Amino acid sequence: MPGPPTDTRPDVNDVLTVHGGTPLTGRLRVRGAKNLVSKAMVAALLGEEPSRLRDVPEISDVGIVSGLLDLHGVSVERVGGASDDGLELVLDPRNVEQAHLADIDAHAGSSRVPILLCGPLLHRLGEAFIPDLGGCRIGERPINFHLDVLRSFGATVDKRPEGLRLTAPRRLQGTKVQLPFPSVGATEQVLLTAVRAEGLTELRNAATEPEIFDLINVLQKMGAMISVDTDRTIRIEGVDRLGGYSHRAIPDRIEAASWACAALATGGDITVLGARQGDLTTFLNVYRKIGGAFEIDDDGIRFFHPGGDLRSLVIETDVHPGFMTDWQQPLVIALTQTSGLSIVHETVYEQRLGFTSALNDMGATIQLYRECLGGLPCRFGQRNFQHSAVISGPTKLHGADITVPDLRAGFSYLIAALAADGTSRVRGIGLIERGYEHFRDKLDALGASYE
Ligand code: EPZ
């Protein structure tokens, strides 16, 4: 597994030289979803017995969370790997202990997952220390919802120069929470805290992403009592004790969609084993609308360019079941190859379109706007953020020297470089390892030319 990066800034000396212009063709497998696996690993901390998590991807984010758990006395053992069943982790939380402040601080800036350790650590130890958070720089990404949630359970939050210290002198109490926005992380925060709090917790305006439901599956296996209503309300009855779990992570629907976009942008044909229709319904509709083709089988989905012109479209990102913000960046590369004007309105993150300027350097024609274009007004319309894009296509892309700004944009640059004529130098390629397992091996299997 790639080692944990010390932070989420690109290392510009970490370069991939890509020779574009060849359609990507072949098969690959996606493993468990990064955005479930890291949370399921944290959930293990709540149990009194060991847990087993299967189909874990060998990505650096898993290394980061393993390191954090290890600091708190949770042993993380790797079983298997490199086989069809994927990597299995055995997480043993029986010797949970307070980590040394300096050790935790060394993880500052590495990921956003540490904030989710708060609830479990408060239950197990009565206190938690959280360093400055990392994660992709795609907007402000505040943690106010998280802190409000934790305070509402009865935790005290003390902001210090080196990070946050949280304490809970007595058992956390069930509470009522209404989220201002259906935040994935804040919903997970409530779940991971409420399951062992005393009494009932009611969460309104919760996120309902498939990864949230899979986390609920994990917690239910551990002994938690959680029910979900149709109106984004989740109710949790706190229990005194949780056991371990044995679970196979849901497949990574972001990685699956990323390779689907690579097939379309390069005029190729990629079968993504492990991809599931039910997690990709909204994406598949969009893929078909712009002229992409797919065939769904029991063990995966074949994505391909059927020939002919691709069609532009108007789209906005949204929380589930809308079009995921994490699909937006790879889709934009495919949209540069469609005929006419496409509009993308990003409503989840206020700064997730900045990556397009490098695409313009490669020959794309993308103009950013501060207005909410092509859909309903969103939270960012009055806040002066460039969060709408108009893409004029099709444009032939050509090779360039580009630097990866964040995980999904990084993979998107890789797709752009593979679709472009000529040679590109993609710098900061290590960031892609945070979320795309063995992507070089997969590129090899698809016939990509790079060094
Ligand atoms: C998760 O981030 C994912 N990360 C993101 O994936 C994903 O883009 C996002 O959910 C939305 O699906 C992980 O699971 C590790 P949010 P999270 O809280 O939980 C605002 C990737 O590439 N907000 O749903 O951090 C926030 O600024 C990553 O895999 C607050 O205002 O996202 C954003 O505008 C990138 N205050 C919106 O809510 C808060 O306290 C949604 O964020 C929390 C969030």
Coordinates of all heavy atoms in Angstrom, one line a residue, residues 304-357:
F304 N -18.2 2.2 -23.2 CA -17.5 2.4 -24.4 C -18.1 3.6 -25.3 O -19.2 4.0 -25.1 CB -17.4 1.2 -25.3 CG -18.8 0.6 -25.6 CD1 -19.3 0.7 -26.9 CD2 -19.5 -0.2 -24.7 CE1 -20.5 0.2 -27.2 CE2 -20.8 -0.7 -25.0 CZ -21.3 -0.5 -26.3
H305 N -17.2 4.1 -26.1 CA -17.6 5.1 -27.1 C -18.1 4.4 -28.3 O -17.4 3.6 -29.0 CB -16.3 5.9 -27.5 CG -16.7 7.2 -28.2 ND1 -17.5 7.2 -29.3 CD2 -16.2 8.5 -28.1 CE1 -17.6 8.4 -29.8 NE2 -16.8 9.2 -29.0
P306 N -19.4 4.6 -28.7 CA -20.0 3.8 -29.7 C -19.7 4.3 -31.1 O -20.2 3.8 -32.1 CB -21.5 3.9 -29.4 CG -21.7 5.2 -28.8 CD -20.4 5.5 -28.0
G307 N -18.9 5.4 -31.2 CA -18.6 6.0 -32.5 C -19.6 7.2 -32.7 O -20.6 7.3 -32.0
G308 N -19.3 8.0 -33.6 CA -20.2 9.2 -33.9 C -20.0 10.3 -32.9 O -19.1 10.3 -32.1
D309 N -20.8 11.4 -33.1 CA -20.6 12.6 -32.2 C -21.2 12.4 -30.8 O -22.2 11.7 -30.7 CB -21.3 13.8 -32.9 CG -20.6 14.3 -34.1 OD1 -19.4 13.9 -34.3 OD2 -21.1 15.1 -34.8
L310 N -20.5 13.0 -29.9 CA -21.1 13.0 -28.5 C -21.9 14.3 -28.4 O -21.6 15.3 -29.0 CB -19.9 13.0 -27.5 CG -19.1 11.7 -27.5 CD1 -17.9 11.8 -26.5 CD2 -19.9 10.5 -27.2
R311 N -22.9 14.3 -27.4 CA -23.8 15.4 -27.3 C -23.5 16.2 -26.0 O -23.3 15.6 -25.0 CB -25.2 14.9 -27.3 CG -25.6 14.2 -28.6 CD -27.0 13.7 -28.5 NE -27.2 12.6 -27.6 CZ -27.0 11.3 -28.0 NH1 -26.6 11.0 -29.2 NH2 -27.1 10.3 -27.1
S312 N -23.6 17.6 -26.1 CA -23.4 18.4 -24.9 C -24.6 18.3 -24.0 O -25.7 17.7 -24.4 CB -23.3 19.9 -25.3 OG -24.4 20.3 -26.1
L313 N -24.5 18.7 -22.8 CA -25.7 18.7 -21.9 C -25.5 19.8 -20.8 O -24.5 20.3 -20.6 CB -25.9 17.3 -21.3 CG -25.4 16.9 -19.9 CD1 -26.1 15.7 -19.4 CD2 -23.9 16.8 -19.9
V314 N -26.6 20.0 -20.1 CA -26.7 20.9 -18.9 C -26.8 20.0 -17.7 O -27.7 19.2 -17.6 CB -27.9 21.9 -19.1 CG1 -28.0 22.8 -17.8 CG2 -27.8 22.7 -20.3
I315 N -26.0 20.3 -16.7 CA -26.0 19.4 -15.5 C -25.7 20.2 -14.3 O -24.9 21.1 -14.3 CB -25.0 18.2 -15.7 CG1 -25.3 17.2 -14.7 CG2 -23.6 18.6 -15.8 CD1 -24.6 15.9 -14.9
E316 N -26.2 19.8 -13.2 CA -25.7 20.3 -11.9 C -25.4 19.2 -10.9 O -26.1 18.2 -10.9 CB -26.6 21.4 -11.3 CG -28.0 21.0 -10.9 CD -28.8 22.1 -10.4 OE1 -28.5 23.3 -10.6 OE2 -29.9 21.9 -9.8
T317 N -24.4 19.4 -10.1 CA -24.0 18.4 -9.1 C -24.9 18.6 -7.9 O -25.4 19.7 -7.7 CB -22.6 18.6 -8.7 OG1 -22.4 19.8 -8.1 CG2 -21.6 18.4 -9.9
D318 N -25.1 17.5 -7.2 CA -26.0 17.6 -6.0 C -25.7 16.5 -5.1 O -25.0 15.5 -5.4 CB -27.5 17.5 -6.5 CG -28.5 18.2 -5.6 OD1 -28.1 18.5 -4.4 OD2 -29.6 18.5 -6.0
V319 N -26.4 16.5 -3.9 CA -26.2 15.4 -3.0 C -27.0 14.2 -3.6 O -27.8 14.4 -4.4 CB -26.7 15.7 -1.6 CG1 -25.9 16.8 -1.0 CG2 -28.2 16.2 -1.6
H320 N -26.8 13.0 -3.0 CA -27.5 11.8 -3.5 C -29.0 12.0 -3.3 O -29.4 12.5 -2.3 CB -27.0 10.6 -2.7 CG -27.4 9.3 -3.3 ND1 -26.9 8.7 -4.4 CD2 -28.4 8.5 -2.9 CE1 -27.5 7.6 -4.7 NE2 -28.5 7.4 -3.8
P321 N -29.8 11.6 -4.3 CA -29.5 10.8 -5.5 C -29.1 11.7 -6.7 O -29.2 11.2 -7.9 CB -30.8 10.1 -5.8 CG -31.9 11.0 -5.3 CD -31.3 11.7 -4.1
G322 N -28.7 12.9 -6.5 CA -28.3 13.8 -7.6 C -26.9 13.3 -8.2 O -26.4 12.3 -7.8
F323 N -26.4 14.1 -9.2 CA -25.2 13.8 -9.9 C -24.0 14.2 -8.9 O -23.9 15.3 -8.6 CB -25.1 14.5 -11.2 CG -23.9 14.1 -12.0 CD1 -24.1 13.1 -12.9 CD2 -22.7 14.7 -12.0 CE1 -23.0 12.6 -13.7 CE2 -21.6 14.3 -12.7 CZ -21.8 13.3 -13.6
M324 N -23.2 13.2 -8.5 CA -22.2 13.4 -7.5 C -21.2 14.5 -7.9 O -20.7 14.5 -9.0 CB -21.3 12.2 -7.3 CG -21.8 11.1 -6.5 SD -20.5 9.9 -6.3 CE -19.9 10.3 -4.7
T325 N -20.8 15.3 -7.0 CA -19.7 16.3 -7.2 C -18.4 15.6 -7.6 O -17.6 16.1 -8.4 CB -19.5 17.2 -6.0 OG1 -18.3 18.0 -6.2 CG2 -19.3 16.4 -4.7
D326 N -18.2 14.4 -7.1 CA -16.9 13.7 -7.4 C -16.9 13.1 -8.8 O -15.8 12.7 -9.3 CB -16.7 12.6 -6.4 CG -16.7 13.1 -4.9 OD1 -15.8 13.8 -4.6 OD2 -17.7 12.8 -4.2
W327 N -18.0 13.0 -9.4 CA -18.1 12.6 -10.8 C -17.9 13.8 -11.8 O -17.6 13.6 -13.0 CB -19.5 12.0 -11.2 CG -19.8 10.7 -10.5 CD1 -18.9 9.8 -10.1 CD2 -21.1 10.2 -10.2 NE1 -19.6 8.7 -9.5 CE2 -21.0 9.0 -9.6 CE3 -22.4 10.8 -10.4 CZ2 -22.1 8.2 -9.1 CZ3 -23.5 10.0 -10.0 CH2 -23.3 8.8 -9.3
Q328 N -18.0 15.0 -11.2 CA -18.0 16.2 -12.1 C -16.7 16.4 -12.8 O -16.7 16.6 -14.0 CB -18.3 17.4 -11.2 CG -18.3 18.8 -11.9 CD -17.0 19.5 -11.6 OE1 -16.2 19.6 -12.4 NE2 -16.8 20.0 -10.4
Q329 N -15.6 16.2 -12.1 CA -14.3 16.5 -12.7 C -14.0 15.6 -13.9 O -13.6 16.0 -15.0 CB -13.2 16.6 -11.7 CG -13.4 17.9 -10.8 CD -12.7 17.8 -9.5 OE1 -12.9 16.8 -8.7 NE2 -11.9 18.8 -9.1
P330 N -14.1 14.2 -13.7 CA -13.8 13.4 -14.8 C -14.8 13.6 -16.0 O -14.5 13.6 -17.2 CB -14.0 11.9 -14.3 CG -14.2 12.1 -12.8 CD -14.3 13.5 -12.4
L331 N -16.1 13.9 -15.6 CA -17.1 14.1 -16.7 C -16.7 15.3 -17.6 O -16.9 15.3 -18.8 CB -18.5 14.4 -16.1 CG -19.6 14.6 -17.2 CD1 -20.0 13.2 -17.8 CD2 -20.8 15.3 -16.6
V332 N -16.2 16.4 -16.9 CA -15.8 17.6 -17.7 C -14.8 17.3 -18.8 O -14.9 17.8 -19.9 CB -15.2 18.7 -16.7 CG1 -14.5 19.8 -17.5 CG2 -16.3 19.3 -15.9
I333 N -13.9 16.3 -18.6 CA -13.0 15.9 -19.6 C -13.8 15.4 -20.8 O -13.5 15.7 -22.0 CB -11.9 14.9 -19.2 CG1 -11.3 15.3 -17.8 CG2 -10.9 14.7 -20.3 CD1 -10.6 16.6 -17.8
A334 N -14.7 14.5 -20.5 CA -15.6 13.9 -21.6 C -16.4 15.0 -22.3 O -16.6 15.0 -23.5 CB -16.5 12.8 -21.1
L335 N -16.8 16.0 -21.5 CA -17.7 17.1 -22.1 C -16.9 18.0 -23.1 O -17.4 18.6 -24.0 CB -18.3 18.0 -21.0 CG -19.4 17.3 -20.2 CD1 -19.9 18.3 -19.1 CD2 -20.5 16.8 -21.0
T336 N -15.5 18.0 -22.9 CA -14.7 18.8 -23.9 C -14.8 18.1 -25.3 O -14.4 18.8 -26.3 CB -13.2 18.9 -23.5 OG1 -12.6 17.6 -23.5 CG2 -13.1 19.6 -22.1
Q337 N -15.2 16.9 -25.3 CA -15.3 16.1 -26.6 C -16.7 16.1 -27.2 O -17.0 15.4 -28.1 CB -14.7 14.7 -26.4 CG -13.3 14.7 -25.9 CD -12.4 15.6 -26.7 OE1 -12.3 15.5 -27.9 NE2 -11.7 16.5 -26.0
T338 N -17.7 16.8 -26.5 CA -19.1 16.7 -27.0 C -19.3 18.0 -27.9 O -18.6 19.0 -27.8 CB -20.1 16.8 -25.9 OG1 -19.9 18.0 -25.1 CG2 -19.9 15.6 -24.9
S339 N -20.3 17.9 -28.8 CA -20.6 18.9 -29.7 C -21.6 19.9 -29.1 O -22.6 19.6 -28.7 CB -21.3 18.4 -31.0 OG -20.4 17.5 -31.6
G340 N -21.2 21.2 -29.1 CA -22.1 22.3 -28.7 C -21.6 22.8 -27.3 O -20.5 22.5 -26.8
L341 N -22.6 23.5 -26.6 CA -22.3 24.1 -25.3 C -22.8 23.2 -24.2 O -24.0 22.9 -24.1 CB -22.9 25.5 -25.2 CG -22.4 26.6 -26.0 CD1 -23.1 27.9 -25.7 CD2 -20.9 26.8 -25.8
S342 N -21.9 22.9 -23.3 CA -22.4 22.2 -22.0 C -22.3 23.1 -20.9 O -21.4 24.0 -20.8 CB -21.5 21.0 -21.7 OG -21.7 19.9 -22.6
I343 N -23.2 23.0 -19.9 CA -23.1 23.8 -18.7 C -23.0 22.9 -17.5 O -23.8 21.9 -17.4 CB -24.4 24.7 -18.6 CG1 -24.5 25.7 -19.7 CG2 -24.4 25.4 -17.2 CD1 -25.7 26.5 -19.7
V344 N -22.1 23.2 -16.6 CA -21.9 22.5 -15.4 C -22.1 23.4 -14.2 O -21.4 24.4 -14.1 CB -20.5 21.8 -15.3 CG1 -20.4 21.1 -13.9 CG2 -20.4 20.8 -16.4
H345 N -23.1 23.2 -13.3 CA -23.3 24.0 -12.2 C -22.9 23.2 -10.9 O -23.5 22.2 -10.6 CB -24.8 24.4 -12.1 CG -25.2 25.2 -11.0 ND1 -26.5 25.3 -10.4 CD2 -24.5 26.1 -10.2 CE1 -26.5 26.1 -9.4 NE2 -25.3 26.7 -9.3
E346 N -21.9 23.6 -10.3 CA -21.3 22.8 -9.1 C -22.0 23.4 -7.8 O -21.7 24.5 -7.5 CB -19.8 22.9 -9.1 CG -19.1 22.4 -7.8 CD -19.3 21.0 -7.5 OE1 -19.0 20.1 -8.4 OE2 -19.9 20.6 -6.4
T347 N -22.8 22.6 -7.2 CA -23.6 23.1 -6.0 C -23.1 22.5 -4.7 O -23.7 22.9 -3.7 CB -25.1 22.9 -6.2 OG1 -25.4 21.5 -5.9 CG2 -25.6 23.2 -7.6
V348 N -22.1 21.6 -4.7 CA -21.7 21.0 -3.4 C -20.5 21.7 -2.9 O -20.4 22.0 -1.7 CB -21.5 19.5 -3.6 CG1 -21.0 18.9 -2.3 CG2 -22.8 18.8 -4.1
Y349 N -19.5 22.0 -3.8 CA -18.3 22.7 -3.4 C -18.1 24.0 -4.1 O -18.3 24.0 -5.3 CB -17.0 21.9 -3.6 CG -16.9 20.7 -2.7 CD1 -17.0 19.4 -3.2 CD2 -16.7 20.9 -1.3 CE1 -16.9 18.3 -2.3 CE2 -16.6 19.8 -0.5 CZ -16.7 18.5 -1.0 OH -16.6 17.4 -0.1
E350 N -17.8 25.1 -3.4 CA -17.7 26.4 -4.1 C -16.5 26.6 -5.0 O -16.5 27.5 -5.8 CB -17.8 27.5 -3.0 CG -16.6 27.6 -2.1 CD -16.7 26.7 -0.9 OE1 -17.3 25.6 -0.9 OE2 -16.1 27.1 0.2
Q351 N -15.5 25.7 -4.8 CA -14.3 26.0 -5.7 C -13.8 24.7 -6.3 O -12.6 24.3 -6.3 CB -13.2 26.5 -4.8 CG -13.4 28.0 -4.4 CD -12.3 28.4 -3.4 OE1 -11.1 28.3 -3.7 NE2 -12.7 29.0 -2.3
R352 N -14.7 24.0 -7.0 CA -14.3 22.7 -7.6 C -14.2 22.8 -9.1 O -14.2 21.8 -9.8 CB -15.2 21.6 -7.2 CG -14.5 20.3 -7.1 CD -15.3 19.1 -6.6 NE -14.4 18.0 -6.3 CZ -14.7 16.9 -5.7 NH1 -16.0 16.7 -5.5 NH2 -13.8 15.9 -5.5
L353 N -14.1 24.0 -9.6 CA -14.0 24.1 -11.1 C -12.6 24.8 -11.5 O -12.3 24.9 -12.7 CB -15.1 24.9 -11.7 CG -16.5 24.2 -11.6 CD1 -17.6 25.2 -12.0 CD2 -16.5 23.0 -12.6
G354 N -11.8 25.2 -10.5 CA -10.6 25.8 -10.8 C -9.6 25.0 -11.6 O -8.8 25.5 -12.4
F355 N -9.8 23.7 -11.6 CA -8.9 22.8 -12.3 C -9.1 22.9 -13.8 O -8.2 22.5 -14.6 CB -9.2 21.3 -11.9 CG -10.4 20.7 -12.6 CD1 -10.3 19.7 -13.6 CD2 -11.7 21.1 -12.2 CE1 -11.4 19.2 -14.2 CE2 -12.8 20.6 -12.8 CZ -12.7 19.6 -13.8
T356 N -10.1 23.6 -14.3 CA -10.4 23.7 -15.7 C -9.4 24.6 -16.4 O -9.3 24.6 -17.7 CB -11.8 24.2 -16.0 OG1 -12.0 25.5 -15.3 CG2 -12.9 23.2 -15.5
S357 N -8.7 25.5 -15.7 CA -7.8 26.5 -16.4 C -6.7 25.7 -17.1 O -6.3 26.0 -18.2 CB -7.2 27.5 -15.4 OG -6.4 26.9 -14.5

